[in-house]
């Protein structure tokens, strides 16, 4: 029987790799009996969704611009760079 | 139509590239740097043959520059800084009972809000929590959660083992989840 510590690690890893059959069975068995780990699993999935939302919101936020000072600096650097 | 010059790239896509980078890196200076590196690499590269939109092509280069930067970050802060227990035991013992490994600090219930306003506040809380994570954990977490690539490829690019990545991602998720509990749930 998995401990909550082991189950939480497997839940996290399940977002990053395919678990083995044995791991999946162990985890399923644990989750049937453990509401807290179930909740943990849902929350880390929500965090992934939220991070993606946050990133796409920022990407589309046209109020965020390359600062003028940086633009000037970069223009200078690329101006003297080799052209193809 | 004349070929676009690097200055056209800067003027037309500079803001977007900057937003793209800033959304993935924690500080504006780093975002400015990778935009500059991207344009320099674009100038030196002969690969743009008009086969894709310039923006798509530039973003492709930018993604590599972001990974390069995170790899340097991961190298500069050696694993020892995360504790001696790597790689097998991820630590996080403060959340579990010593014997039996049950939760001692049980995750409390929270959900992602539905309303736009609340969601905005939730994302702000999440951002604040990410800022509080060690830089290396936050960068890897960000890269993993938004990168469209699998973990194996990310590990290869960052030159870390898969086990190390799992340990770091676990710590990042445990830390963030707890932080959200403190700062979002108890707002």
């Amino acid at each position: 029987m998995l401990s909550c510590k082991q189950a939480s690690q497997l839940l996290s890893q399940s977002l990053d790799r395919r678990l083995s059959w044995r791991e999946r069975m162990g985890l399923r068995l644990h989750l049937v009996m453990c509401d807290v780990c179930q909740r943990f699993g849902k929350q880390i999935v929500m965090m992934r969704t939220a991070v993606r939302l946050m990133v796409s919101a920022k990407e589309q936020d046209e109020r965020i611009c390359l600062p003028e000072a940086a633009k000037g600096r970069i223009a200078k650097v690329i101006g003297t760079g080799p052209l193809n | 139509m004349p070929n676009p010059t690097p200055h056209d790239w800067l003027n037309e896509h500079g803001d977007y590239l900057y937003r793209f980078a800033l959304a993935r890196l924690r500080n504006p200076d780093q975002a400015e740097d990778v935009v500059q590196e991207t344009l320099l690499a674009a100038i030196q590269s002969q690969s743009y043959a008009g086969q894709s939109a310039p923006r798509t092509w530039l973003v492709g280069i930018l993604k590599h520059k972001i990974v390069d930067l995170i790899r340097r970050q991961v190298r500069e802060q050696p694993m020892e800084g995360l504790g001696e227990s790597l790689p097998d035991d991820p630590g996080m013992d403060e959340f579990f009972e010593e014997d039996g490994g049950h939760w001692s600090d049980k995750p409390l219930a929270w959900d992602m809000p539905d309303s736009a306003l609340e969601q905005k506040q939730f994302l702000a809380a999440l951002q604040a929590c990410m800022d509080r994570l060690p830089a290396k954990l936050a960068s890897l977490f960000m890269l993993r959660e938004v990168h469209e690539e699998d973990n194996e490829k990310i590990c290869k690019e960052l030159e870390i083992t898969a086990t190390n990545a799992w340990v770091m991602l676990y710590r990042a998720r445990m830390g963030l989840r707890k932080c959200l509990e403190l700062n979002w749930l108890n707002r």
Side-chain angles (χ1 to χ4, degrees):
Chain A
M1 183 67 194
L2 293 178
S3 67
C4 293
K5 189 175 173 178
Q6 294 166 320
S8 64
Q9 286 173 40
L10 283 180
L11 282 164
S12 174
Q13 288 183 25
S14 75
L15 299 187
D16 305 309
R17 68 176 172 97
R18 187 167 164 74
L19 300 182
S20 70
W21 183 83
R22 205 191 153 85
E23 288 169 331
R24 288 202 302 277
M25 289 305 125
L27 194 53
R28 201 172 293 172
L29 199 68
H30 181 94
L31 292 180
V32 167
M33 298 189 297
C34 183
D35 292 350
V36 182
C37 283
Q38 256 185 53
R39 177 182 293 158
F40 175 79
K42 275 185 200 149
Q43 288 177 342
I44 61 175
V45 171
M46 276 194 281
M47 291 193 316
R48 171 172 281 184
T49 310
V51 169
R52 289 182 179 168
L53 246 155
M54 190 170 86
V55 166
S56 72
K58 271 197 203 165
E59 260 174 51
Q60 286 154 28
D61 186 346
E62 295 191 349
R63 288 167 304 176
I64 305 174
C65 292
L66 184 60
E68 283 307 318
K71 208 171 262 182
R73 205 175 55 236
I74 295 173
K76 238 186 205 165
V77 174
I78 61 175
T80 56
L83 289 167
N84 55 14
Chain B
M1 209 177 106
N3 284 335
T5 68
H7 289 277
D8 294 334
W9 290 334
L10 176 62
N11 290 330
E12 283 165 37
H13 309 297
D15 289 338
Y16 180 76
L17 294 175
Y18 177 70
R19 285 201 288 276
F20 187 96
L22 193 61
R24 287 161 175 78
L25 297 166
R26 61 165 62 188
N27 87 52
D29 292 344
Q30 289 179 335
E32 291 175 12
D33 287 348
V34 289
V35 170
Q36 176 171 320
E37 284 173 35
T38 298
L39 289 169
L40 282 174
I43 293 168
Q44 280 155 10
S45 143
Q46 305 287 327
S47 70
Y48 181 62
Q51 73 278 46
S52 58
R55 181 173 288 189
T56 312
W57 175 66
L58 290 168
V59 167
I61 300 174
L62 178 60
K63 279 184 182 171
H64 284 290
K65 295 295 172 195
I66 291 172
V67 170
D68 287 345
L69 191 137
I70 293 175
R71 180 171 52 236
R72 286 199 297 272
Q73 220 171 38
V74 168
R75 281 218 197 113
E76 277 162 20
Q77 304 163 293
M79 296 310 287
E80 292 80 69
L82 287 166
E84 300 94 46
S85 50
L86 279 172
D88 291 335
D89 185 352
M92 300 285 113
D93 290 333
E94 64 272 29
F95 288 96
F96 300 98
E97 287 167 9
E98 237 174 80
D99 47 342
H102 287 293
W103 292 98
S104 56
D105 187 351
K106 285 184 188 161
L108 302 174
W110 53 259
D111 258 311
M112 222 165 103
D114 295 324
S115 85
L117 177 65
E118 273 201 313
Q119 208 170 74
K120 217 171 166 186
Q121 292 166 341
F122 178 81
L123 294 183
L126 179 66
Q127 178 69 66
C129 286
M130 285 185 58
D131 291 345
R132 259 176 251 171
L133 279 183
K136 179 166 142 173
L137 287 192
S139 313
L140 177 66
F141 174 75
M142 185 60 121
L143 197 60
R144 174 66 198 129
E145 304 298 49
V146 302
H147 224 51
E148 296 79 10
E149 284 159 13
D150 60 26
N151 194 50
E152 213 175 306
K153 184 142 184 236
I154 289 179
C155 291
K156 215 170 164 182
E157 288 172 338
L158 294 184
E159 295 164 15
I160 56 175
T161 66
T163 314
N164 278 344
W166 295 328
V167 167
M168 287 194 277
L169 289 166
Y170 177 68
R171 290 181 179 179
R173 290 180 181 127
M174 290 287 278
L176 273 182
R177 200 211 55 76
K178 181 66 191 173
C179 178
L180 280 171
E181 190 171 289
L182 293 172
N183 294 292
W184 171 248
L185 193 62
N186 300 331
R187 68 193 179 280

